[in-house]
Amino acid sequence: MWGLLLALAACAPAVGPALAAPGASVLDLAPPVTTEASIGTPGPRSSPAPAGKENDVETDNQKEGKNEIQTKVLRGKGVTKVRIIKKKKVIVKKQRKVIRTRRPITTNPAKPPKPPKEQKPDCPPLGLESLRVSDSQLEASSSQSFGLGPHRGRLNIQSGLENNDFYDGAWCAEQQDAEPWLQVDAGHPTHFSGVITQGRNSIWRYDWVTSYKVQFSNDSRNWWASRNLSSGMDAIFPANSDQETPVLNLLPECQVARYIRLLPQTWLKGGAPCLRAEILACPVSDPNDLFMKAPLLVSSDPLDFRHHNYNDMRKLMKQVNKQCPNITRIYSIGKSYQGLKLYVMEMSDNPGVHELGEPEVRYVAGMHGNEVLGRELLLLLMQFLCREYLQGNPRVTRLLTEMRLHLLPSMNPDGYEIAYRRGSELVGWAEGRWTYQGIDLNHNFADLNTPLWTAEDDGMVPHTVSNHHLPLPAYYILPNATVAPETWAVINWMRRIPFVLSANLHGGELVVSYPFDMTRTPWAIRELTPTADDAVFRWLSTVYADANLAMQEPNRRACHSHDFSLRGNVINGADWHTVPGSMNDFSYLYTNCFEVTVELSCDKFPHEIELPQEWENNKDALLTYLEQVRVGIAGIVWDKDTELGIANAVISVEGINHDVTTAWGGDYWRLLTPGDYLVTASAKGYHSATQNCRVTFEEGPAPCNFHLTKTPKQRLRELLAAGAKVPPDLRRRLELLRKQRN
């Protein structure tokens, strides 16, 4: 029995601490075992019992016959005490209860405890993925090619489509390199705490590292290794088993150094030592300012700079609404597949009402759940607009007085929750992108391009087939059509509100793309495919790109495999890659709304410490883009007799094969670049009217109003419907028309 009791005592400290042992992540070195005792060989006692004590216990047991021994294991910091208590039969039930609660402690200590299933980053990323670490800070022992150089060894970097591309998907050492390594210079002493790795992104090859060592240096000449705390040997960390899944390893002991090296030890058989990485690092206190500091990621705006899950997002939106009840309104446009509401924040001096002559503008974010920066930017924007409006900022006051703004932070909340649970550094490139049903929302809208282009090729546009407001295809509205509830929610939202301008916020690149997103030539991977309003779309895209600080950084490098700075940071969507069923194309062909896609950052899920800088990069661009709704013409189409607005009147501009229509009050907005235009307003039952309208560089849309006169036939229909007699003048005109026809 003493053997069993002391084995219990020896096991007790090995259960809790060992689960968090620093060496738990080491590949082929077992985590340290905190005791050598086993059930068959009890370890030495720290307080041996006096001589004869054991015999006394046995004698008492024989005398009492039914007394038992109860053990209590008391844990302290590094101390285990065993107390032996004799108890009477009257408390035998209490004894059994205590013994049962201690049974798990009797697990055989010879088997090492399993490491934690999931580790969490403790320090923020150094900035390989977000490009805060420059190419010059990365070195390697060797590289297979320039496209596989150390500057490509960044977490989540994406390769080009061609084999041996100038932009490949990892750092890869030469095959004959006996001791490959990838080195990062932090620029100053840094507190390194962990490493995240991926394999090579490629559609042509499979390459990944399966284990590696880590070394540190302060001068890049003298190096020391991360060691296993139990054995003192160099720690070997488990790496990847596929190309894309990020694998996190926390160091057994954090190290302060300037340089860190990753040294691949093993890799996929038949492959090469290739990896992408991110380094976790905390700043080192430097009260005497001895070292050059990295630029601080700060903002002058006192906003809530953190990531918000669904519940946090709702709370923040309610706080903004409570702070600014006179200019905000929260509403839902529908639900996701899992029942999460798609909340919209409306901001206007008269929320909830479409005011005649006031344009409707929207920002949409979170179409892909793992591209989270747009979501946070819209939450920051609503806080900023509320705060600045209360402080009397004239720019913000004018914005909210002259337009009605709608902010949808999360179009795909189900996908976001998946990405949020994984975290910013471990979500990878694609996890959370799709809805819970596995649908990519940016390919889920109806393809209206194909029927339009077919009709154009047949010479049917615009006389037989309209060049705007195309109907939904029959296949799209079938009961078994694969259309996500999130997509239908946005389509119905577009039907209810006469949006004029929109931007769809994405992540993973730094560029603004504009319609068409789908190539006109079937099966073409990329092809320049402009709309009839190409000049307007290029204007809108350039305005955002020119106001975005990150896009205008003169020395910035390409995010992945395209250097968009050579194109002014704007591109026709189809000329980048074809996207059938995009929301941009659908919005242009199904409604009056002009929409572009803004790729906000190389990093789809930036760490929250980078949010202040991302806000500063995009703040002015977000405001300036909204102000572009004033560029063009605007007006009201009235009935000349009743002075009432005419709904669904068509506004056509000579030379542009795309029309817009009036809202239910007869008001319209037509985005145009500066110039002189011949504009025609027409409506069913009315004579059309045409006038010259000039768009200048002055702020505000050029007024271009119309008064339409009913046709005799329409007036006759209305009179007959009302049961009235036909006036003599109308009767004479009808007789004249009949004679001319005969």
Side-chain angles (χ1 to χ4, degrees), residues 518 566 572:
M518 178 182 175
L566 302 176
N572 172 251

Side-chain angles (χ1 to χ4, degrees), residues 342-378:
L342 276 60
Y343 286 110
V344 176
M345 174 67 78
E346 178 190 335
M347 306 193 77
S348 170
D349 62 338
N350 192 7
V353 178
H354 172 73
E355 298 181 76
L356 191 69
E358 191 167 292
E360 308 273 356
V361 186
R362 70 171 184 256
Y363 275 133
V364 177
M367 170 177 274
H368 296 145
N370 63 332
E371 297 171 14
V372 307
L373 181 56
R375 173 194 185 104
E376 297 307 325
L377 287 180
L378 293 192

